[in-house]
Amino acid sequence: MKSAQTEHLRPAAAGDVPALLALRTEAEGWLRAKGTDQWSDPETGERAISKWRESIDEGRAWVVVSERDEVLATVSRGPVDRDFWTDADHPETALYLYKLIVARDASGRHLGTRVIDWMSRLAALEGRTWVRIDTWRTNSGLHAYYERLGFRHVRTEEPHHRRSGWLAQRPAGELAMPHDLLSIGPREGHRGVAGTSLEVPLQRG
């Protein structure tokens, strides 16, 4: 018997920025301990804060929170990255997933998998064909993780000014954990009721 969910998704708010920065810092340390050079340049200070705030203001950043509204994970969507994807990839057919980070003390809840499933459902709702990612070229462990979740490697790009470039995609609407979907909670200050609907602004571009 599946236990009741104690976490849900909601749009990130300005007040979440300190928690988001803490997630990023924790992830940087964890990656270093695993011996990968991913995120080896710490993202801190005003530049990092302004980037998170921009994503929040544009409605692109989401957080998974506990029943006490503690931030457990985050994910963002964004525009196509032209360093990697070209017109030949038909970029308008995909939703682009960025900055998926899960708190280490929330590991074991499959939050990463469930967040990707939510993004997959959103992509299908928008009429897209793919969910796409780009990841650090040297992080083979992360590549294997995404491949286990149904992503297929498209190619690896190596622009000299970027360390990411391992490109992969998964069909929109495909679910790895269809019986354990994340619900959507109300936006901070909103009187709505949490549910399983995708009550988010759709993006067509």
Side-chain angles (χ1 to χ4, degrees):
M1 180 176 178
K2 185 168 70 71
S3 60
Q5 291 183 358
T6 59
E7 60 274 328
H8 64 267
L9 273 157
R10 65 164 173 77
D16 295 319
V17 169
L20 295 174
L21 289 173
L23 277 183
R24 168 71 191 228
T25 300
E26 181 186 54
E28 289 166 357
W30 181 70
L31 289 165
R32 282 194 300 272
K34 288 177 66 68
T36 175
D37 64 350
Q38 181 170 346
W39 289 355
S40 54
D41 299 322
E43 188 170 276
T44 58
E46 286 300 321
R47 180 172 178 272
I49 292 171
S50 65
K51 287 173 67 176
W52 280 116
R53 286 179 174 164
E54 180 180 353
S55 295
I56 291 168
D57 290 344
E58 294 176 357
R60 297 188 288 107
W62 288 74
V63 290
V64 179
V65 297
S66 69
E67 57 191 351
R68 300 184 302 277
D69 208 42
E70 172 191 12
V71 174
L72 304 175
T74 185
V75 70
S76 296
R77 65 177 300 170
V80 57
D81 192 325
R82 287 295 188 168
D83 281 344
F84 303 134
W85 303 98
T86 70
D87 288 343
D89 296 309
H90 303 288
E92 72 284 353
T93 64
L95 182 154
Y96 296 87
L97 184 155
Y98 300 103
K99 286 189 174 180
L100 175 59
I101 310 173
V102 178
R104 298 316 309 151
D105 61 4
S107 63
R109 304 190 198 185
H110 305 289
L111 293 184
T113 303
R114 293 161 68 197
V115 166
I116 293 169
D117 278 355
W118 177 73
M119 281 288 196
S120 183
R121 295 167 64 211
L122 179 58
L125 187 66
E126 293 182 351
R128 301 183 191 272
T129 305
W130 306 104
V131 175
R132 285 178 175 162
I133 57 172
D134 66 82
T135 72
W136 214 254
R137 295 192 295 268
T138 58
N139 194 338
S140 58
L142 188 59
H143 304 165
Y145 168 77
Y146 280 116
E147 287 176 330
R148 287 195 299 272
L149 296 182
F151 283 85
R152 295 293 177 264
H153 182 221
V154 176
R155 64 179 178 275
T156 299
E157 296 284 352
E158 299 187 23
H160 71 276
H161 61 297
R162 301 288 297 274
R163 297 187 182 182
S164 191
W166 187 86
L167 310 183
Q169 61 189 20
R170 190 176 93 171
E174 186 174 285
L175 303 177
M177 298 183 67
H179 303 298
D180 199 6
L181 301 174
L182 281 168
S183 63
I184 311 301
R187 185 184 296 271
E188 191 174 8
H190 182 62
R191 293 177 62 84
V193 177
T196 58
S197 61
L198 294 168
E199 297 169 355
V200 296
L202 305 186
Q203 299 180 22
R204 299 298 180 189

